[in-house]
Amino acid sequence: MQGSQCMTVVLALLTLGALKAYIDWSAVQPERQPTSRGVGTAWPPSPISAAEALDNEELGLSLRLNASLQLLRQNIPEASAFWNRRQHQIFRALEGVAGNASRWECGGDGGREAAAEIKDFSSYPVLYQRFLLHGDCRNYPLLVNQPAKCAGNRTFLLLAIKSVPGNFAARQAVRETWGREGNLGGLPVRTVFLLGSAQGSHEPDLRQLVEYESQLFRDVLMWDFEDTFFNLTLKDWLFLNWTVGHCPGARFILKGDDDVFINTPKVLGYLGSLDTHTAQTLYTGQVMANASPFRLRKSKYYVPESFYVGPYPAYAGGGGYVFSGRLVHRLLQVSQYIPFYPIDDVYTGLCFQGLGVHPQAHPDFQTFDIAEKDREDPCVHNKLLLVHRRSPQQTVRLWRQLGDAQLQC
């Protein structure tokens, strides 16, 4: 074996050893627990400041990234498809072979490379073309903010709900039911709705109405980008940035759509029962394993073969999943080395795989709905954590039925 190859093997082994030591150390750190989970107790703030946490995260970052991204590299075929090729260029740059490890510059070379290198680019759907042309644009102005949302840094569960400007009724149904803010059983719950500024070039401008809504309810985050399906990945990434800056102490984050039904008390009970190690590394929902890209052009999940080849990592369905707030900063870091992918939950799965965190399947997350005969049954919903999809009217009705003291299941 040549000397350079030996050195690569040695460095890889040392990196993996360092990663294991770091994970073991993180898992055994003492953590203050609530005295009880009864009414009147409050989840304590983190024993270290947000600034200290971020400093600690930077310590040994290159070792952790190199080790965990090597695991991701093994599962992404090195192929001529545009996304595969670009990702492996980043892998090589991380090894110091060539180029910069990441360069996300709006108006940079990425869009032009896509148009020039993808032979059938002109056959892509228009929204797909726009995603590729602007895929390196990651910084958009935050038009509506809630900087005091997590004041006191004591948030136990942050509900981050993806919505679009026109879904006023869906957001109001969430506010009146499972997304109502407050201390539930002593555990602080906060809610934010994630929006772009417009739904399409031919849609009415609803920004003033959304701003008025925000003044009333103080729960809307709106960025200045077009709120389309292929921009959901961008929305997730901007939310991670917001969380690091404005809600770094959130214990858990539930990311979901505005048409899911969440049994919030049951979710809190589940999260409160987790042991320390599980709570710190949690990524759970309805897990998609052994999935592959859709090649049917009429599907909204369509992915051309010239864009990506290979299987998907295991990932939690984007309708609703939960992950540890402790992982937010690391997710943001690893995302710097993974190009945006047009399917948001797949991209999230790629980032978690890049951290070496595997999704844990939970049977009470039903992101593909349940049997038709059970869709209106409150007793069935009483056993679930999350189910997709429910209209605003169904959400309000089910929530009232679950809160009825006369309900017998």
Side-chain angles (χ1 to χ4, degrees):
M1 180 179 290
Q2 296 179 354
S4 61
Q5 292 177 311
C6 291
M7 181 60 70
T8 300
V9 172
V10 170
L11 286 174
L13 291 173
L14 288 174
T15 300
L16 289 171
L19 177 66
K20 183 179 185 302
Y22 175 82
I23 292 173
D24 291 343
W25 175 84
S26 298
V28 300
Q29 290 307 295
E31 187 168 279
R32 291 191 290 174
Q33 301 290 338
T35 55
S36 71
R37 295 192 182 93
V39 176
T41 62
W43 197 269
S46 171
I48 62 174
S49 69
E52 290 172 326
L54 295 181
D55 288 342
N56 289 340
E57 289 296 335
E58 295 294 340
L59 186 63
L61 172 61
S62 60
L63 287 177
R64 300 200 307 277
L65 277 177
N66 281 336
S68 57
L69 283 170
Q70 284 300 323
L71 300 176
L72 177 63
R73 182 176 191 172
Q74 295 171 12
N75 293 301
I76 296 178
E78 190 162 4
S80 61
F82 180 78
W83 193 94
N84 299 65
R85 186 170 64 254
R86 204 160 186 223
Q87 179 64 80
H88 278 275
Q89 288 173 349
I90 295 174
F91 289 145
R92 287 191 291 273
L94 281 170
E95 294 176 344
V97 175
N100 296 320
S102 63
R103 45 172 189 161
W104 313 117
E105 300 177 4
C106 194
D109 295 333
R112 290 192 294 271
E113 288 176 1
E117 296 179 23
I118 299 175
K119 294 180 179 179
D120 58 342
F121 181 81
S122 61
S123 71
Y124 280 29
V126 172
L127 286 178
Y128 225 112
Q129 292 182 15
R130 293 175 66 180
F131 167 80
L132 285 165
L133 290 172
H134 302 283
D136 285 349
C137 298
R138 294 194 175 198
N139 296 314
Y140 289 82
L142 182 57
L143 302 177
V144 178
N145 191 14
Q146 308 300 334
K149 174 58 65 173
C150 297
N153 202 26
R154 300 172 66 87
T155 301
F156 180 79
L157 176 62
L158 177 62
L159 298 170
I161 309 305
K162 295 174 289 184
S163 189
V164 293
N167 285 11
F168 295 104
R171 292 194 290 276
Q172 190 59 27
V174 171
R175 293 184 185 105
E176 294 178 4
T177 59
W178 54 261
R180 183 178 296 137
E181 295 187 322
N183 289 355
L184 302 182
L187 302 177
V189 177
R190 301 291 178 262
T191 301
V192 288
F193 295 97
L194 315 178
L195 281 71
S197 58
Q199 288 181 245
S201 57
H202 301 294
E203 296 291 335
D205 186 351
L206 301 177
R207 283 176 294 182
Q208 287 187 321
L209 290 176
V210 172
E211 289 172 3
Y212 178 69
E213 178 187 5
S214 172
Q215 293 172 12
L216 286 177
F217 300 106
R218 305 291 181 184
D219 57 8
V220 173
L221 301 176
M222 183 171 67
W223 290 268
D224 191 16
F225 68 87
E226 192 172 313
D227 206 336
T228 63
F229 176 70
F230 288 146
N231 275 341
L232 287 175
T233 298
L234 170 63
K235 182 181 289 187
D236 282 356
W237 192 85
L238 291 169
F239 167 71
L240 289 177
N241 273 274
W242 180 88
T243 305
V244 167
H246 296 289
C247 200
R251 195 74 170 181
F252 298 99
I253 295 169
L254 193 157
K255 180 79 70 61
D257 293 341
D258 62 9
D259 61 348
V260 298
F261 183 89
I262 298 174
N263 190 333
T264 312
K266 190 174 177 67
V267 169
L268 293 173
Y270 162 67
L271 295 175
S273 70
L274 299 176
D275 61 76
T276 299
H277 177 74
T278 302
Q280 292 178 351
T281 59
L282 185 69
Y283 171 39
T284 189
Q286 184 170 7
V287 174
M288 314 301 155
N290 304 313
S292 296
F294 281 80
R295 301 303 188 192
L296 294 176
R297 187 182 176 87
K298 64 181 181 180
S299 171
K300 75 173 183 176
Y301 300 104
Y302 167 65
V303 176
E305 290 187 55
S306 57
F307 179 74
Y308 177 84
V309 297
Y312 285 152
Y315 64 93
Y321 57 89
V322 179
F323 61 98
S324 171
R326 187 182 178 91
L327 298 175
V328 169
H329 187 243
R330 288 180 237 175
L331 280 170
L332 190 58
Q333 288 172 323
V334 80
S335 71
Q336 303 295 330
Y337 304 95
I338 302 175
F340 276 176
Y341 194 81
I343 314 299
D344 60 313
D345 46 12
V346 172
Y347 183 76
T348 299
L350 288 164
C351 291
F352 273 107
Q353 189 173 85
L355 292 181
V357 175
H358 303 287
Q360 302 299 312
H362 197 299
D364 292 338
F365 282 79
Q366 295 293 324
T367 56
F368 291 101
D369 211 339
I370 53 180
E372 182 67 30
K373 64 181 180 64
D374 296 328
R375 296 189 82 251
E376 302 291 337
D377 190 337
C379 289
V380 172
H381 288 76
N382 195 40
K383 299 175 183 178
L384 298 174
L385 295 179
L386 179 149
V387 63
H388 203 196
R389 307 177 174 180
R390 295 294 176 269
S391 70
Q393 295 76 19
Q394 289 174 316
T395 292
V396 171
R397 181 166 58 251
L398 283 167
W399 186 257
R400 289 174 178 170
Q401 289 172 327
L402 290 182
D404 187 350
Q406 305 300 317
L407 179 66
Q408 296 183 353
C409 295

